[in-house]
Amino acid sequence: MKNLITHIGGLPIEQLARDFGTPTFIYERDVIEKRIAELKAFDVVRFAQKACSNLAILALMKKHGVVVDAVSAGEIHRALKVGFTGQASSDPGSTGGARHAPGIVFTADLFDEDARDMIRTHKLPVNVGSPDMITQLGTFAPGTDVTLRINPGFGHGHSRKTNTGGSYSKHGIWHTEIEECLRLGKEAGVNIIGLHMHIGSGSDFQHLSTVCDAMVKAAKRMGPQLKVISAGGGLPIPYHKEQSRIDVGAYFSLWDKARKMIERDLGHSISLEVEPGRYLVAESCSLLTQIRSVKSSGGNRFYLVDAGFETLVRPSMYGAYHEISIATHDGRAVGNAFDTIVGGPLCESGDVFTQEEGGVVTTRKLPEAVVGDFLILHDAGAYGSAMSSNYNTRRLAAEVLIQQGRGDIIRERQTFEHILHFERIPSNLA
Ligand SMILES: *Cc1c(COP(=O)(O)O)cnc(C)c1O
């Protein structure tokens, strides 16, 4: 029956639940490796770790020559922990493309104090999203290599919260300010060497070629000091089973063509980076939950599971779609499928996994299940664990990596004491 499964990554679901409990994020190493391999035509693959920043996942990226992007001091800390540095490293074992690329690049639209300290101490290159950052860098880290994150004057996508370009986007440097940034860079004594655009055209190649044109134009403004261009992230994955996969070859070709035009204009070679988050990890992970209540209310059928938007927020936050499967806990034969609403444990009406943008609750045709069966939310690897919280004082879920036919724990389930660790009761209240 459709949406009825028994295994994740070759391991029986019942056994995974017994060994690791629920809810648990279960990653499959070989799926991540396959995605990395698909992008090897790019000179550099830079993982936007905000999508999934578990140390084990970062270590796996490193093993394959993928470098990382950090958007906060905390993410820099993670990257340093697994051995990335701000300098270029050429690991001979790499299958990815970290050729002469720094292991860590800090990307943001501002510096907070923590990030400033990290950048100065570890000599990290910076992808700046505001002209102010160039001048500030000159005061605390002169000599830094800098790329300019450019807002080409337009964005993409219908979800306003996720739009990354245009005049209402907080991200990047307006495209007409490049010359001014070069002047500021000279004044501040930093080396502006690259251009970056993260627009997220998805698989809209018409739009993507507009972005590529904007990059070629920006490169002309920048002139001979340009050495590297970054295509940013935004490569989509097929969240719906019937969606097709992006043509990565065609995506590369468009950017490669832009790169070659820039090389012709400038008369020297240009390194081409890509910076995916979602694409590398989304499909590698299933969120394993257990059904704790099956009920009907006013004709609607509900499965309530032991994880809510504190664990996977995308459906509540963006109306995002995740495929859902059921696994029985006892291997019994399953009869009919029913239109079902899937919700979590939170005291919050928006805690529903089957909803569309704007919070419209929908149903999903799911196999008949009983309390104790398992419910799997697929493609939970990107912005899943990374966006989870302790709302309702619920513990962060465990994370497991399946490799070589077994599951290794890569994050222990949080404890209640750990949640309370930094809270203090003033003595007059104790
Ligand atoms: C979030 C982000 C990415 C990754 O986006 P995906 O859609 O996950 O590929 C890449 N670059 C920057 C600067 C980002 O902020």
Side-chain angles (χ1 to χ4, degrees):
M1 179 188 282
K2 205 176 156 239
N3 297 337
L4 192 65
I5 63 173
T6 55
H7 290 68
I8 296 172
L11 297 179
I13 288 168
E14 221 200 304
Q15 181 200 324
L16 287 166
R18 208 167 39 237
D19 290 351
F20 302 108
T22 57
T24 296
F25 287 100
I26 299 178
Y27 299 86
E28 297 169 57
R29 174 174 168 166
D30 56 350
V31 176
I32 296 175
E33 288 174 333
K34 208 161 131 191
R35 296 293 164 261
I36 294 171
E38 284 173 15
L39 294 174
K40 68 173 188 293
F42 288 88
D43 296 321
V44 176
V45 180
R46 186 171 298 284
F47 177 49
Q49 67 164 295
K50 73 171 194 271
C52 180
S53 51
N54 183 292
L55 293 176
I57 301 298
L58 298 186
L60 177 59
M61 295 296 171
K62 184 163 188 293
K63 195 176 168 60
H64 291 286
V66 174
V67 289
V68 296
D69 170 71
V71 298
S72 68
E75 287 193 357
I76 294 171
H77 186 73
R78 286 179 175 280
L80 293 168
K81 267 260 170 339
V82 301
F84 286 110
T85 69
Q87 282 70 56
S89 67
S90 35
D91 180 350
S94 307
T95 51
R99 294 186 276 269
H100 318 300
I104 307 170
V105 168
F106 179 76
T107 289
D109 299 296
L110 55 84
F111 295 116
D112 60 24
E113 282 299 317
D114 290 344
R116 243 175 72 130
D117 291 347
M118 287 277 207
I119 289 157
R120 182 177 38 213
T121 309
H122 300 283
K123 301 192 187 329
L124 304 179
V126 178
N127 181 31
V128 303
S130 309
D132 284 334
M133 292 173 77
I134 300 172
T135 309
Q136 290 172 20
L137 261 178
T139 68
F140 70 88
T144 297
D145 282 345
V146 170
T147 53
L148 305 178
R149 176 173 181 176
I150 301 300
N151 178 341
F154 56 87
H156 189 261
H158 38 258
S159 179
R160 291 177 294 275
K161 265 188 287 199
T162 58
N163 212 338
T164 54
S167 60
Y168 285 95
S169 169
K170 68 165 189 160
H171 294 301
I173 291 168
W174 195 251
H175 57 110
T176 57
E177 303 260 298
I178 293 174
E179 290 89 343
E180 172 65 5
C181 286
L182 295 181
R183 195 188 63 73
L184 291 174
K186 215 172 199 171
E187 216 172 79
V190 301
N191 317 313
I192 300 182
I193 57 164
L195 290 172
H196 173 281
M197 277 182 200
H198 172 67
I199 298 303
S201 302
S203 41
D204 180 348
F205 285 133
Q206 194 83 42
H207 189 266
L208 182 63
S209 74
T210 314
V211 176
C212 290
D213 289 348
M215 179 64 92
V216 173
K217 274 205 197 97
K220 278 209 172 87
R221 281 176 179 263
M222 173 125 168
Q225 68 195 85
L226 183 66
K227 307 246 162 40
V228 49
I229 58 170
S230 173
L235 282 89
I237 66 112
Y239 280 107
H240 284 265
K241 256 187 226 140
E242 67 271 20
Q243 281 172 338
S244 56
R245 175 167 294 287
I246 183 178
D247 182 346
V248 176
Y251 180 91
F252 172 76
S253 294
L254 278 171
W255 276 107
D256 191 40
K257 210 174 93 200
R259 178 249 298 267
K260 286 186 170 125
M261 283 174 75
I262 296 169
E263 285 180 335
R264 250 194 321 273
D265 285 348
L266 298 180
H268 62 249
S269 68
I270 295 287
S271 174
L272 174 60
E273 289 200 14
V274 68
E275 195 174 70
R278 183 185 319 282
Y279 193 75
L280 291 177
V281 290
E283 295 158 282
S284 72
C285 179
S286 309
L287 173 58
L288 175 60
T289 72
Q290 188 169 42
I291 297 175
R292 309 297 302 207
S293 175
V294 176
K295 67 177 179 185
S296 34
S297 287
N300 277 322
R301 186 181 164 81
F302 288 82
Y303 292 163
L304 301 184
V305 301
D306 57 3
F309 75 64
E310 85 290 358
T311 304
L312 179 65
V313 77
R314 298 186 68 254
S316 294
M317 192 157 176
Y318 308 114
Y321 180 96
H322 287 266
E323 293 289 353
I324 296 175
S325 300
I326 300 292
T328 64
H329 71 286
D330 53 7
R332 71 184 185 282
V334 170
N336 293 323
F338 297 97
D339 291 328
T340 308
I341 296 170
V342 179
L346 302 179
C347 284
E348 177 99 26
S349 50
D351 185 28
V352 168
F353 289 117
T354 48
Q355 60 176 296
E356 292 170 357
E357 211 182 333
V360 179
V361 175
T362 58
T363 61
R364 200 72 66 81
K365 209 167 219 54
L366 293 174
E368 185 170 26
V370 299
V371 170
D373 285 344
F374 303 104
L375 184 141
I376 297 92
L377 290 141
H378 295 279
D379 307 317
Y383 310 103
S385 161
M387 288 182 97
S388 55
S389 75
N390 288 128
Y391 189 46
N392 279 208
T393 309
R394 297 187 64 86
R395 300 182 286 168
L396 295 181
E399 294 181 278
V400 166
L401 180 67
I402 295 180
Q403 50 176 351
Q404 293 151 348
R406 57 172 244 247
D408 287 321
I409 190 98
I410 59 171
R411 185 174 73 189
E412 303 279 353
R413 192 175 307 285
Q414 200 178 22
T415 63
F416 295 124
E417 271 311 309
H418 187 260
I419 298 177
L420 304 187
H421 186 72
F422 291 104
E423 298 186 25
R424 299 290 179 268
I425 304 173
S427 58
N428 62 330
L429 295 176

